[in-house]
Amino acid sequence: MGKGIVALYTLDSRYAGAFLNYNIHNEKEKITVKTFTNEESLEYSVNNDETDLILIDGMCMDEHIKSMPCNKAVLSRKKYIARPEYPTIFMYQKAEVIFRQIYEILSEKPVEERYCCAATRFMPQITGVFSPCYPIEREQFARTLACCAGEKEKVLYLNIAEFEEEDEECEKGLSELLLFIQQEDKSMMYKLPAIVRRSETYDFLAGARHYRDLRDIGTDDIKRLVRQFEMIEDYTTIIMNIGLLGEPAYCLFECCDTIWMPVNTNVAYGRQEHLRRDVKLEGKEDIWKRIKEINVPDCWYAGKDMRKKWVSKMLAAPKQKKK
């Protein structure tokens, strides 16, 4: 799928220049913005080029623009609008928020394939973090891993677990995404940027709003979710904090290139062996080839900075060759 094309029409050349500059420096991989300061040029572009959305300064809206064959949204100078005719975005707010609202509008447009690319598609590395008996350490390790990896590459962190400490209440995230991708004509190419957030060195998607959203998840939902992520080329690595059990968990494991398993062999070795036995009984032994067991050190509980230092050192250590 090609990048989305947005036509911005405003008589304010300074605003148009600042808008275009932000797009070039921050969002050019997702959408292309074309700016216009006269109606004739806008009409010519809409009629002759592929345009996904016309973003119109509310002061410039007229019947002629309304008749143009393209989706429209209005940039309003007023923060609150009663019963707007078109999707409305307050123009005097952070550019990051404006673009997030643009992605939300574009995500509602049915997917249309414009180009067929003959080049090899880039596939992100999918890394899972799972532990049979350490949910707190699992979340800490997953987030610390994302933070360290994000210093060198573009990382997206997914929380697929219940009751996680750092999730913010009522924040859009996994629940909205799972519901959205059930619509077959929709792609999360634009939906994801609309709900993803930034933390330190990595992007993250908030977890489920309610634990039942995860209890009801099935293997088809997992496959659909992963398939959608494979279509997005914004990230080199996707790190998943996996708190599921049963078939949904196995389905996620099979999608992972690597699975880190933080444990404490001095305390709960029996639980690890119990998990190994269950996996074997269910005929999933191949999963263990991807699992890397990590024994959590005592310094792990000394604080966030110590955890980051330890994980950075672990990632920097040379890989041992298999005999």
Side-chain angles (χ1 to χ4, degrees), residues 122-130 145 149 153-160 188 222-232 235-242 248-260 287 289-292:
F122 170 80
M123 302 291 284
Q125 179 90 4
I126 299 180
T127 300
V129 179
F130 174 80
L145 184 65
E153 55 187 312
K154 194 71 183 293
V155 173
L156 176 65
Y157 170 85
L158 296 180
N159 180 25
I160 312 180
M188 68 180 188
I222 295 295
K223 291 176 181 177
R224 191 182 299 114
L225 183 68
V226 174
R227 188 162 58 245
Q228 287 277 358
F229 277 114
E230 290 176 345
M231 299 295 292
I232 294 177
Y235 300 99
T236 54
T237 299
I238 296 173
I239 295 176
M240 299 189 295
N241 173 28
I242 303 173
Y250 288 134
C251 186
L252 275 175
F253 293 160
E254 290 170 358
C255 296
C256 292
D257 300 290
T258 303
I259 305 166
W260 295 95
I287 289 174
K289 297 176 182 178
R290 307 175 196 178
I291 291 178
K292 295 183 179 180

Side-chain angles (χ1 to χ4, degrees), residues 13-161:
S13 59
R14 291 181 60 187
Y15 187 91
F19 197 96
L20 181 60
N21 185 63
Y22 183 87
N23 172 238
I24 292 172
H25 288 92
N26 298 277
E27 306 289 342
K28 66 179 181 180
E29 299 299 326
K30 303 183 185 75
I31 62 174
T32 297
V33 171
K34 298 180 179 180
T35 60
F36 302 91
T37 54
N38 68 78
E39 198 167 311
E40 292 75 19
S41 297
L42 173 65
E43 183 178 21
Y44 179 85
S45 179
V46 170
N47 291 333
N48 292 277
D49 301 324
E50 294 282 0
T51 303
D52 294 290
L53 179 71
I54 304 176
L55 193 59
I56 312 122
D57 186 334
M59 299 292 289
C60 303
M61 178 63 86
D62 58 30
E63 293 302 321
H64 186 211
I65 293 178
K66 289 181 180 180
S67 68
M68 292 183 185
C70 185
N71 288 347
K72 303 169 188 71
V74 174
L75 280 173
S76 173
R77 285 172 164 77
K78 295 180 180 180
K79 195 170 186 178
Y80 301 101
I81 304 293
R83 296 185 294 276
E85 184 178 357
Y86 297 99
T88 303
I89 300 173
F90 180 51
M91 66 189 301
Y92 299 123
Q93 58 183 325
K94 291 182 179 179
E96 175 188 354
V97 179
I98 292 176
F99 273 81
R100 194 177 296 157
Q101 290 178 271
I102 291 172
Y103 293 135
E104 192 74 57
I105 295 168
L106 289 172
S107 70
E108 295 303 319
K109 186 176 184 290
V111 174
E112 296 176 2
E113 290 287 348
R114 290 188 186 141
Y115 308 107
C116 180
C117 181
T120 302
R121 179 177 291 278
F122 170 80
M123 302 291 284
Q125 179 90 4
I126 299 180
T127 300
V129 179
F130 174 80
S131 180
C133 48
Y134 286 94
I136 295 176
E137 287 82 353
R138 183 197 67 226
E139 179 186 7
Q140 291 173 339
F141 184 88
R143 288 188 181 273
T144 306
L145 184 65
C147 184
C148 294
E151 294 177 348
K152 298 181 179 179
E153 55 187 312
K154 194 71 183 293
V155 173
L156 176 65
Y157 170 85
L158 296 180
N159 180 25
I160 312 180

Side-chain angles (χ1 to χ4, degrees), residues 160 162 174-175 178 182 208 210-222 224 244-245 248:
I160 312 180
E162 302 173 7
L174 184 63
S175 294
L178 287 171
Q182 290 178 7
H210 195 278
Y211 75 91
R212 289 190 182 276
D213 293 344
L214 289 178
R215 297 282 176 89
D216 296 337
I217 197 171
T219 56
D220 289 342
D221 298 316
I222 295 295
R224 191 182 299 114
L244 303 178
L245 295 172

